[in-house]
Amino acid sequence: DPTRWAAKGVRWREHTFLDNPNVPALLRTQTVTVTVAAPGEVPAAAAPDQISLAYGTPMSEVMAAVRQARPGVRVIRIANHHLRRLCRWLGSSQANADFNKLARYILTESSRYCPQEDMGGYGGGSFDWQNPFVAYNCTWGFHYPSPFPEGKAACSATGEQRERSSSAGGLLSSLLPPVNAAGEPLAGADGVNVAERPNSTTCPRIMLCDYNILPDGSMTKPIRWCNIEGYNGMKQDHLPATRAMLAKMPDGRCPYPPGDIPGMPGFDRRGHYIGA
């Protein structure tokens, strides 16, 4: 959401910026490519336009290494898989905490996405987003990535062991981030291979929730809070019906499903709740 980035003063350029013919040639030539060695590998010798860092190098040390090898550098290029081999440490616990707070806000997107085949889609047909019994088959925006660890101890050999396990056919892809009671991801102990959510959507398709992150980094309602439990904009006329439905559910709460899976416990093959 560029509006959120602008509101927080985040500096960024479009991905095509360097392709613009008005960009000075000097800016394009003062470029260095950063690579990060795989676990157990020795970083390659530096070249005029490329430097190699050790696996697990803290992010806070990258710029100093680049400046030492190429003092006049203006552009740094690094591929995604090399970036993921760096340790998510920005120099201090406060720097990581500040980054996590900022990332929660600018990397969350809060628009609803509703399929056209259900009630005509958002704003169409008989769809009414203020009616929790109509606007139920939507997803709500995008969730922010897992937070950075807030201690340098995370820059350890743990990530190296896990990457080796993954390359050998291990279960790295199945690892999920730790979460709190509200379902929000917590910083893990591994600062290199950070476990991420399996998808970026906030709510399963059968649950329209009111999840959002405010400018101060706080959360509106938990991700495990479904539409009939109330959301910003729901018409109060529907309260008696929603309360009656919740009273029949386990602990008076919506059963949070493991995902959009037909026939999951508590739901029929169309995704409708039928009881535990």
Side-chain angles (χ1 to χ4, degrees):
D1 187 339
T3 302
R4 295 190 178 206
W5 289 58
K8 290 297 184 179
V10 177
R11 296 183 296 175
W12 59 281
R13 294 287 189 184
E14 300 86 349
H15 71 283
T16 58
F17 175 74
L18 293 176
D19 297 327
N20 191 303
N22 295 319
V23 172
L26 181 62
L27 187 60
R28 291 196 186 94
T29 57
Q30 293 292 339
T31 299
V32 66
T33 297
V34 174
T35 61
V36 182
E41 291 184 356
V42 177
D49 59 350
Q50 181 171 324
I51 67 166
S52 181
L53 303 175
Y55 182 90
T57 296
M59 288 182 170
S60 59
E61 298 177 9
V62 173
M63 182 55 72
V66 170
R67 292 291 189 193
Q68 182 177 5
R70 190 80 178 275
V73 68
R74 301 293 298 278
V75 178
I76 298 174
R77 297 182 183 275
I78 182 169
N80 183 48
H81 69 283
H82 287 288
L83 187 64
R84 288 177 177 273
R85 291 175 178 172
L86 296 173
C87 180
R88 278 72 156 177
W89 179 250
L90 304 178
S92 69
S93 294
Q94 187 61 53
N96 274 35
D98 291 344
F99 177 82
N100 288 338
K101 181 179 178 180
L102 175 66
R104 277 197 297 271
Y105 178 62
I106 67 171
L107 298 181
T108 296
E109 203 276 332
S110 59
S111 297
R112 290 181 175 91
Y113 296 87
C114 307
Q116 290 294 323
E117 66 269 22
D118 293 324
M119 310 298 178
Y122 185 84
S126 59
F127 183 89
D128 180 3
W129 72 273
Q130 293 183 295
N131 182 345
F133 299 104
V134 174
Y136 64 86
N137 205 14
C138 304
T139 57
W140 176 284
F142 298 95
H143 197 282
Y144 61 87
S146 293
F148 284 12
E150 295 186 9
K152 194 175 182 180
C155 298
S156 66
T158 308
E160 180 175 332
Q161 293 167 359
R162 284 173 58 186
E163 180 161 324
R164 283 175 176 165
S165 174
S166 174
S167 62
L171 301 176
L172 179 62
S173 61
S174 66
L175 294 175
L176 297 175
V179 297
N180 60 20
E184 294 298 284
L186 300 171
D190 186 345
V192 182
N193 280 293
V194 176
E196 295 286 358
R197 291 159 48 88
N199 62 72
S200 63
T201 57
T202 55
C203 309
R205 291 188 70 230
I206 59 171
M207 303 174 75
L208 173 64
C209 70
D210 195 26
Y211 178 87
N212 199 3
I213 299 295
L214 301 179
D216 64 359
S218 62
M219 177 177 56
T220 51
K221 284 187 177 178
I223 197 171
R224 295 177 176 176
W225 187 284
C226 81
N227 57 337
I228 66 171
E229 294 180 82
Y231 55 91
N232 185 30
M234 186 185 85
K235 290 179 180 177
Q236 299 302 295
D237 298 347
H238 301 295
L239 274 178
T242 59
R243 287 172 177 170
M245 179 177 285
L246 288 171
K248 301 175 183 178
M249 294 185 176
D251 302 319
R253 290 289 316 279
C254 280
Y256 188 77
D260 187 12
I261 305 172
M264 70 182 74
F267 296 83
D268 65 16
R269 296 192 64 79
R270 295 178 297 166
H272 296 163
Y273 179 71
I274 57 175

